[in-house]
Amino acid sequence: MTAVDALVGHPGWLLWVAVKAFLLYVTAVLAMRLGGRRTLAELSGYDFVAAVAVGAIVGRLPSAPDASYLSGAVTLAAILAAHALITWVRLRPGGRRLIEKGPVVVVARGRVLTGNLHRAGLTRADLDALVREHGMDGTDAVHLAVLEGRGRLSVLPRDGSHG
């Protein structure tokens, strides 16, 4: 290996890195296309883990000298198969409780349910900020606030106005 190759890489190797990156990206897009139509804003915890794992594989494997395209494709297939299995379990009766947290009521009729708030991992400051994001001045204007299983707060205003 010459000093130039060590600094910038051998042209043949760089071409193979580009080809592997392209092929892994196309493989990941096609494999994920087979999955559901959820958006990034709707990702559950297990969806996020799968997306990060796929990104790590597509980002790391092309430049790894000891990893072939085939090893990357098999790794992608294994991650996406595990994701599909978890999705299948989640769709079975009782399976969802094993995979995802259920909704938690944190405000009822303007009253903050402190125990539920703490079990959900939120502080009062977190809740106040989320309520303000819904256009309300405080929890006294909230009829019902539910922290959904995917981490979003659903808020129904007390007076029936949109929040």
Side-chain angles (χ1 to χ4, degrees), residues 25-52:
Y25 178 79
V26 169
T27 302
V29 168
L30 292 174
M32 293 187 94
R33 182 85 172 105
L34 297 174
R37 299 181 64 74
R38 286 184 259 196
T39 65
L40 287 177
E42 298 172 348
L43 289 181
S44 66
Y46 76 95
D47 290 327
F48 178 76
V49 169
V52 169

Side-chain angles (χ1 to χ4, degrees), residues 55-122:
I57 293 163
V58 172
R60 166 70 177 99
L61 268 136
S63 61
D66 58 341
S68 67
Y69 161 74
L70 189 57
S71 68
V74 168
T75 304
L76 282 173
I79 294 295
L80 295 172
H83 184 261
L85 175 65
I86 289 172
T87 300
W88 181 83
V89 168
R90 187 179 150 263
L91 295 174
R92 304 280 81 53
R96 183 176 185 160
R97 286 188 303 271
L98 294 173
I99 307 298
E100 293 180 351
K101 292 183 176 184
V104 178
V105 176
V106 293
V107 179
R109 292 181 218 87
R111 188 174 142 256
V112 176
L113 305 177
T114 307
N116 287 358
L117 188 68
H118 292 164
R119 277 191 289 285
L122 293 177

